[in-house]
Amino acid sequence: MSDAYPHVLDPVAARYASWLSLPGAATADVSDEDPADVLLMPMVLRLERGEPPRRSAMLAAAAASAVAVCLDERSAPGGEWHADVGGWTAGRIRKVARRARGSHWAAAQQLPGRTVEIGGAQVRSFVPLRVSETPKELSRLQISGSEVEPDEPGPVPTGVPRLWLNPHVPMSAGKTAAQVGHATMIAAALLHAEGRTDELTAWTERGYPCAVRIPEPDAWRELLPGADPGRSWQERGIAAVRDAGFTEVDPGTVTVLAEWALG
């Protein structure tokens, strides 16, 4: 992986510290925004009837597939996805998760994106697009009904990034899938900004494995970056996802903490 490879993530790293330093109630002003013109990354969770995946595995697959699109060589400068992915990361990072099974899942595989399978769970993230340009293969899929019962995933594996979910904020499976996708993107962006491309390359070659867990409340408080998110990343390898508050949670809520722990 060249130093410029994940170029589309540079704006994410540039905005990270300033976004976390905003007041808790801050949110983006979208009063003049045309909903049909919104750029977002669609995600599709494979939920076959009678064969639901483990929730922790499905979320890990969602986290991996989102960053896989961003770090794909087609998203690099000169690649066929670069304009679409780069235009999205330069603005507001939004995702929407839908569910599919059977022939609808198969049809979605034909659209540009990356599918990741972890622990039997499959999620595909797509090249970002405008809401008004959503193809029927995606627009016909339901957003609601993607709930999967929590599971007991066991000990956190060594050598993979850990994605800690806020234990005080319940979120739907679809919302959580989007949030963990934000988390892996932020971690990758910060690594690239620091020139740590060897670590990114190693993670890429392994298929972006990660572990999604819910910490105990005391552990969550200890993990939180506090008033200096840049220092928290540099000294502890912890980055936070702070939600804009468009759906489900209040503006400014920290939904996920990404702990980069490959060593």
Side-chain angles (χ1 to χ4, degrees):
M1 181 184 296
S2 70
D3 188 51
Y5 188 62
H7 181 272
V8 293
L9 290 178
D10 288 349
V12 177
R15 289 195 305 269
Y16 176 68
S18 60
W19 172 232
L20 278 190
S21 66
L22 292 174
T27 189
D29 180 6
V30 295
S31 58
D32 61 346
E33 184 177 72
D34 181 352
D37 204 40
V38 168
L39 277 171
L40 53 76
M41 171 185 277
M43 307 175 79
V44 174
L45 319 176
R46 185 176 188 181
L47 298 177
E48 296 293 343
R49 193 188 304 275
E51 299 179 16
R54 292 185 298 114
R55 184 182 174 110
S56 59
M58 182 182 73
L59 295 176
S65 67
V67 75
V69 170
C70 297
L71 297 183
D72 191 286
E73 60 183 7
R74 289 165 288 187
S75 295
E80 61 189 283
W81 296 353
H82 180 70
D84 293 324
V85 179
W88 174 62
T89 58
R92 300 183 180 116
I93 305 300
R94 298 186 188 175
K95 300 183 178 75
V96 61
R98 301 174 183 269
R99 62 184 175 91
R101 63 173 181 263
S103 60
H104 286 180
W105 169 258
Q109 301 306 297
Q110 306 309 309
L111 300 174
R114 291 284 301 271
T115 296
V116 172
E117 179 174 349
I118 293 179
Q122 292 179 295
V123 176
R124 186 172 183 84
S125 293
F126 299 85
V127 174
L129 45 73
R130 299 188 185 282
V131 171
S132 60
E133 298 171 352
T134 304
K136 65 178 181 179
E137 291 89 347
L138 297 180
S139 63
R140 68 187 177 187
L141 303 178
Q142 292 188 1
I143 297 175
S144 61
S146 61
E147 204 49 58
V148 177
E149 290 297 319
D151 61 312
E152 295 292 338
V156 176
T158 59
V160 301
R162 303 164 186 177
L163 307 181
W164 302 103
L165 306 181
N166 189 331
H168 307 292
V169 180
M171 296 183 289
S172 67
K175 174 72 172 181
T176 311
Q179 297 298 295
V180 294
H182 296 347
T184 49
M185 286 176 56
I186 290 171
L190 295 176
L191 287 169
H192 176 250
E194 295 176 349
R196 295 162 65 181
T197 52
D198 288 348
E199 293 174 65
L200 274 176
T201 298
W203 191 37
T204 298
E205 291 174 348
R206 296 172 59 195
Y208 310 103
C210 53
V212 181
R213 298 291 189 272
I214 301 177
E216 293 295 328
D218 287 347
W220 173 261
R221 284 192 293 272
E222 292 178 2
L223 288 165
L224 283 170
D228 192 345
R231 182 175 179 181
S232 178
W233 170 257
Q234 294 167 4
E235 297 184 356
R236 299 192 292 152
I238 294 175
V241 177
R242 191 169 188 257
D243 195 67
F246 295 122
T247 61
E248 294 194 27
V249 303
D250 293 332
T253 301
V254 175
T255 55
V256 185
L257 297 174
E259 183 180 14
W260 187 260
L262 295 187

